[in-house]
Amino acid sequence: MITTSARKALFWGLDYMQGAPIYTHLCNIQQVTADVSLLGEHQAQQLKSLLTHAVQTTDFYKNYDASGQLEDFPVVDKNIIRESFERFESTVFKGKKLKVMETSGSTGTPFRVVQNSSKRQRVLAELIYFNSLVGYSIGIRHAFFRTIEFNSRKSSVKLFMQNEVEFDVRIQDVTSFEQQRLTLLKDKRVEILIGYSSVIYDLARHIISQGNSPEDFGVKGVLCLAEPLYPNMRDTIRKALDCQILSRYSNQECGVLAYECPTCGRFHLNTANYFFEILALDRDEPISPGTPGRIVVTDLYNYALPMIRYDTGDIGSIVPNDCSKFATPILNSLEGRRLDSVYDTAGRRLVSFIFDDMFEALSRLGMLKQFQFIQEDKTHYRLRLCVNETFSEEESVIEKLKQILGGDAQIEIDYVDEIPVLNSGKRKYIVSLYDPSKEVLTSSNT
């Protein structure tokens, strides 16, 4: 049996033999996230280098001024990059072996980017650093909850070397949760759980229902990703496993964008690796700190496919840092995908977490297992509820929703046994089928 220490020594030994690129990146991230002056110098230097590279080696950016301001470059998104992919590729890296990163396409057409080796090393370094906040370090045995397709399954050798247990989340039912529970009961060397918030939450509920206590497991930390981690979810996971629970904001095409701080409980932006802007919803202009807008990211390290002023499709707000642990700004709010914005009957956009208090209260009472809120058109809404037999709050729920959405809101409630998951394994709690811009366009044409 290879010990954790041996795995750690092997990993860093191999890195050292290659010139210690991951270790160098790790040290840099540690330094610049702790010192605001170093952080500013680092970002300025990386931005200058990236813009120069993009202008000199890509067709898309060749007519822009590398010595100009970042604001002079266009805002791009998935569709623009997808449709002009070859124009974004750097001539320096064409024909070279690159890492291909693909999104699942759960919210639209699949999206692919390529990353050069230094970018991949930077991503590994950020994962090592930020995962350490929940207690993970190289070599520690951990379980990863993810969708496992035939062509993405890790070999048994790779799982052994990484000391990882894989849980496939494509099917989520009592049988799968029982298999996971039994695996964790048997293998108490598993110290860290990493995966979708809803999956780990449902596993925790199953563990509690089976009468287990935290002492039955060896879990010391849980890292939730890809979905919101609501307070009731955190409470349930803590009840089941009694350990550190943190969340992070990341995407496949870039990496870790923000991470929950164990000191202040808020999300710090990963400004060591990315430059962030918050732009207005309807124009490419910055808005005041604390105001929600489009999260636009410049990846400071992807030179194979420069992603400059990339619109993530998410909505959030940024405020200055007030935490002593890190020097990086705070992601004050993250409201989810712009495509899933919900509006009241008067056409005002609502923050997605406006429903949290009501659903959390029902969850804490033990009545609500899962929910999904859907806006179907301007005044019609559908609420899918997975509840237990003691639920008797339908009238109260409709009344509270009308207080939020408007008195003329038409609300239908469907009772279901399970909220279905997407192909990616994620579960969407807020879904919007309503696009107010199309309504404005229709009215202007009549």
Side-chain angles (χ1 to χ4, degrees):
M1 180 183 296
I2 300 178
T3 64
T4 297
S5 298
R7 284 186 169 89
K8 183 180 296 185
L10 178 61
F11 178 88
W12 290 119
L14 290 173
D15 183 60
Y16 178 79
M17 292 172 61
Q18 297 172 9
I22 299 174
Y23 181 75
T24 301
H25 281 304
L26 177 61
C27 291
N28 176 259
I29 293 171
Q30 291 172 326
Q31 291 170 354
V32 300
T33 55
D35 189 312
V36 67
S37 60
L38 283 179
L39 181 60
E41 294 173 6
H42 170 78
Q43 282 202 320
Q45 179 181 346
Q46 292 302 130
L47 265 178
K48 181 179 179 181
S49 177
L50 175 71
L51 297 183
T52 299
H53 170 81
V55 170
Q56 292 178 349
T57 71
T58 71
D59 184 60
F60 187 86
Y61 293 111
K62 65 183 180 182
N63 294 323
Y64 290 90
D65 183 3
S67 61
Q69 299 296 313
L70 179 63
E71 294 77 13
D72 298 331
F73 285 70
V75 175
V76 300
D77 58 20
K78 283 184 173 71
N79 291 329
I80 294 173
I81 295 175
R82 186 187 296 118
E83 293 168 4
S84 305
F85 187 84
E86 292 186 355
R87 296 188 63 210
F88 279 90
E89 288 184 289
S90 169
T91 56
V92 173
F93 294 96
K94 283 192 175 181
K96 294 187 177 181
K97 186 177 180 180
L98 302 170
K99 177 70 174 180
V100 178
M101 301 298 294
E102 293 182 289
T103 62
S104 64
S106 59
T107 57
T109 307
F111 180 57
R112 175 176 66 95
V113 302
V114 291
Q115 298 175 344
N116 51 292
S117 59
S118 182
K119 163 64 179 176
R120 289 307 305 162
Q121 291 158 355
R122 190 75 179 187
V123 169
L124 285 174
E126 72 184 13
L127 287 172
I128 292 169
Y129 181 57
F130 298 126
N131 288 359
S132 71
L133 299 177
V134 79
Y136 174 81
S137 65
I138 294 295
I140 283 182
R141 191 157 178 77
H142 60 284
F144 206 116
F145 298 75
R146 66 187 189 95
T147 55
I148 304 175
E149 304 292 346
F150 175 76
N151 60 354
S152 67
R153 183 179 296 275
K154 292 183 179 181
S155 68
S156 56
V157 174
K158 191 169 186 179
L159 289 172
F160 174 75
M161 294 305 296
Q162 295 181 345
N163 211 9
E164 180 175 297
V165 177
E166 272 190 324
F167 289 135
D168 192 350
V169 301
R170 288 177 300 172
I171 298 176
Q172 298 173 33
D173 55 20
V174 173
T175 300
S176 66
F177 292 131
E178 178 64 5
Q179 290 174 342
Q180 293 162 9
R181 183 183 75 92
L182 293 176
T183 298
L184 295 177
L185 281 172
K186 183 179 179 180
D187 190 350
K188 292 188 178 182
R189 293 177 299 137
V190 175
E191 296 185 21
I192 305 293
L193 305 185
I194 304 173
Y196 299 147
S197 306
S198 63
V199 176
I200 298 179
Y201 165 65
D202 285 341
L203 172 60
R205 285 171 46 208
H206 179 72
I207 287 173
I208 293 170
S209 72
Q210 298 303 302
N212 292 118
S213 63
E215 293 74 23
D216 296 331
F217 305 92
V219 178
K220 299 178 181 178
V222 172
L223 179 60
C224 295
L225 42 92
E227 299 173 320
L229 177 62
Y230 294 105
N232 68 292
M233 290 179 167
R234 191 188 299 269
D235 291 345
T236 300
I237 297 171
R238 182 173 289 113
K239 181 179 179 181
L241 299 171
D242 190 24
C243 63
Q244 174 82 280
I245 305 162
L246 296 177
S247 180
R248 79 178 183 217
Y249 166 44
S250 57
N251 61 29
Q252 281 286 89
E253 57 267 35
C254 295
V256 179
L257 300 179
Y259 49 94
E260 186 178 4
C261 175
T263 300
C264 69
R266 305 173 77 183
F267 282 79
H268 287 268
L269 292 173
N270 183 7
T271 44
N273 296 345
Y274 310 94
F275 186 89
F276 293 87
E277 300 174 82
I278 300 294
L279 303 183
L281 296 176
D282 56 354
R283 62 191 185 282
D284 295 339
E285 296 179 6
I287 53 181
S288 58
T291 303
R294 292 178 293 146
I295 300 177
V296 174
V297 173
T298 295
D299 188 332
L300 300 175
Y301 283 87
N302 192 352
Y303 278 53
L305 190 83
M307 299 179 72
I308 300 169
R309 306 194 80 193
Y310 169 65
D311 188 334
T312 62
D314 295 324
I315 297 174
S317 63
I318 297 174
V319 296
N321 178 45
D322 57 0
C323 174
S324 59
K325 187 172 180 63
F326 298 103
T328 51
I330 300 291
L331 181 62
N332 193 49
S333 66
L334 179 61
E335 301 176 18
R337 306 294 297 175
R338 188 183 182 195
L339 294 175
D340 286 325
S341 292
V342 174
Y343 298 80
D344 66 13
T345 58
R348 294 173 296 225
R349 189 179 69 84
L350 304 173
V351 294
S352 59
F353 47 77
I354 197 169
F355 308 106
D356 288 2
D357 288 345
M358 176 175 60
F359 293 127
E360 285 165 18
L362 292 173
S363 295
R364 288 196 172 98
L365 289 173
M367 297 181 180
L368 179 65
K369 299 177 182 177
Q370 299 168 350
F371 76 91
Q372 185 179 65
F373 181 85
I374 304 169
Q375 180 165 15
E376 298 182 331
D377 60 31
K378 184 177 181 180
T379 60
H380 288 79
Y381 308 85
R382 185 174 301 277
L383 180 62
R384 292 175 177 166
L385 295 177
C386 176
V387 298
N388 63 21
E389 63 279 359
T390 64
F391 181 77
S392 59
E393 301 293 322
E394 179 172 314
E395 290 185 8
S396 174
V397 167
I398 291 177
E399 181 182 348
K400 289 177 180 177
L401 285 175
K402 286 193 172 187
Q403 291 174 2
I404 296 171
L405 301 168
D408 56 340
Q410 303 297 308
I411 302 168
E412 293 188 35
I413 295 183
D414 296 335
Y415 294 98
V416 298
D417 294 328
E418 184 82 10
I419 302 298
V421 297
L422 303 171
N423 291 333
S424 63
K426 300 178 185 178
R427 182 177 284 114
K428 295 185 73 172
Y429 294 100
I430 305 294
V431 178
S432 180
L433 306 178
Y434 171 61
D435 185 350
S437 64
K438 291 182 179 180
E439 183 167 298
V440 171
L441 186 63
T442 302
S443 63
S444 66
N445 291 332
T446 57

